[in-house]
């Protein structure tokens, strides 16, 4: 009987490790990239995480050892070939998570700072299965779960962000941690809908979280801009749960 507690602890640790994901976070030339902090945040949740410089995407070892790759809001624009590599990663069975306004711009041959708007219609269009409905960040009023999925397990049917203050559309700093870019689903399945406030201060509804099956893999699209502060503040347990669910789902594929 004395050995029961240690054995229980060992099996608990093993179970936790089985649900841990190996995560890669793409970094291009985002001037304000928070990729290193995002990696630390994911590690704090019990997963492995590292940043992937854009120039490492085509390396011979490939990306297949990552359970999930994240292309975050502040990652910076990739080249067309960089986006295509991520699309191929999904088609081959990987899980890709795109957040905020990532994949809205693409580098052109004109140089590092040369950009073109692709508005989600570039090489990741088929993988993501959504398009950005509004290129303006909007404060979130309410979130509603629309469809059952591993990504929304444990969430209430409807919830608001605790960090959401009284709205003042003319004061973006008042809602800087609860802003999102509205999404419109095409082939993707909407998992969570967002009730927000548009640039004119009027109510607007769009997709907050979606998932799209592409080839052997899947692509999650999250409208939220800033994951790190919401998770690190430990106030937004529902946002933390969404991230955990996605990573655990990826690890189990």
């Amino acid at each position: 009987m004395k050995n029961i507690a240690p054995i229980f602890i060992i099996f608990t640790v093993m179970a936790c490790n089985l649900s841990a994901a190996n995560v890669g976070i793409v970094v291009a030339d985002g001037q304000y990239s928070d990729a290193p902090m995002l990696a630390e945040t994911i590690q704090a949740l019990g997963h492995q995480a590292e940043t992937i410089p854009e120039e490492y995407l085509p390396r011979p070892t490939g990306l297949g050892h990552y359970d999930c790759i994240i292309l975050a809001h502040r990652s910076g624009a990739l080249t067309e070939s960089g986006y295509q590599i991520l699309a191929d990663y999904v088609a081959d069975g990987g899980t890709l998570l795109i957040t905020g306004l990532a994949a809205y711009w693409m580098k052109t041959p004109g140089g590092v700072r040369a950009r073109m708007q692709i508005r989600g219609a570039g090489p990741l269009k088929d993988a993501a299965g959504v398009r950005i409905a509004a290129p303006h960040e909007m404060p979130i009023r309410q979130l509603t779960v629309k469809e059952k999925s591993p990504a929304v397990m444990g969430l209430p049917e409807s919830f608001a962000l605790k960090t959401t203050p009284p709205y003042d559309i003319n004061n973006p700093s008042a809602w800087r941690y609860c802003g999102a870019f509205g999404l419109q689903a095409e082939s993707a399945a909407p998992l969570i809908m967002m009730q927000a406030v548009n640039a004119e201060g009027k109510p607007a509804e769009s997709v907050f979280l979606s998932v799209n099956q592409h080839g052997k893999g899947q692509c999650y699209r999250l409208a939220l801009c800033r994951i790190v502060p919401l998770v690190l503040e430990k106030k937004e347990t529902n946002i933390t749960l969404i991230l955990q669910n996605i990573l655990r789902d990826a690890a189990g594929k």
Side-chain angles (χ1 to χ4, degrees):
M1 295 295 291
K2 293 181 180 180
N3 292 328
I4 291 179
I7 292 174
F8 176 77
I9 292 172
I10 291 172
F11 275 104
T12 301
V13 172
M14 289 176 63
C16 291
N17 288 338
L18 288 175
S19 62
N22 185 17
V23 182
I25 303 166
V26 178
V27 181
D29 59 343
Q31 184 177 359
Y32 305 104
S33 174
D34 58 0
M37 290 186 64
L38 180 56
E40 292 175 8
T41 301
I42 290 172
Q43 290 167 1
L45 295 177
H47 305 277
Q48 299 176 26
E50 64 179 3
T51 57
I52 310 174
E54 181 185 10
E55 59 268 27
Y56 286 7
L57 288 178
R59 58 186 171 183
T61 53
L63 302 174
H65 60 292
Y66 292 111
D67 297 307
C68 180
I69 291 179
I70 299 178
L71 185 63
H73 174 63
R74 294 180 173 180
S75 295
L78 302 182
T79 61
E80 183 175 7
S81 62
Y83 285 126
Q84 188 60 57
I85 287 169
L86 294 181
D88 293 343
Y89 162 78
V90 177
D92 289 341
T95 295
L96 177 66
L97 169 60
I98 306 173
T99 72
L101 205 61
Y104 188 83
W105 300 87
M106 183 161 64
K107 287 193 183 87
T108 63
V112 175
R113 293 297 170 190
R115 299 285 185 276
M116 64 177 290
Q117 288 186 8
I118 53 175
R119 302 182 182 182
L124 289 178
K125 178 183 178 181
D126 292 339
V130 299
R131 67 178 181 85
I132 295 173
H136 303 289
E137 188 175 354
M138 301 184 293
I140 302 167
R141 285 188 184 277
Q142 193 79 9
L143 297 169
T144 304
V145 175
K146 183 177 178 64
E147 186 172 324
K148 291 183 178 180
S149 162
V152 300
M153 286 184 61
L155 291 176
E157 184 176 335
S158 183
F159 59 98
L161 299 185
K162 295 178 182 179
T163 51
T164 301
Y167 288 99
D168 179 359
I169 197 65
N170 297 314
N171 182 17
S173 64
W175 42 269
R176 61 179 300 183
Y177 290 160
C178 57
F181 290 90
L183 304 172
Q184 182 172 328
E186 294 184 343
S187 59
L191 301 180
I192 301 177
M193 296 301 293
M194 170 178 74
Q195 289 75 45
V197 181
N198 65 18
E200 289 75 39
K202 298 178 181 179
E205 183 179 61
S206 61
V207 176
F208 179 74
L209 177 66
S210 66
V211 65
N212 189 54
Q213 303 301 317
H214 178 67
K216 299 177 183 178
Q218 59 187 354
C219 180
Y220 285 99
R221 191 72 167 82
L222 180 65
L224 189 67
C225 301
R226 300 169 182 88
I227 295 177
V228 172
L230 294 183
V231 175
L232 287 182
E233 285 181 2
K234 298 182 180 178
K235 294 179 181 179
E236 294 301 342
T237 55
N238 288 324
I239 299 300
T240 303
L241 182 57
I242 290 171
L243 180 59
Q244 277 281 38
N245 284 342
I246 291 173
L247 297 180
R248 287 171 177 165
D249 182 43
K253 294 295 183 184

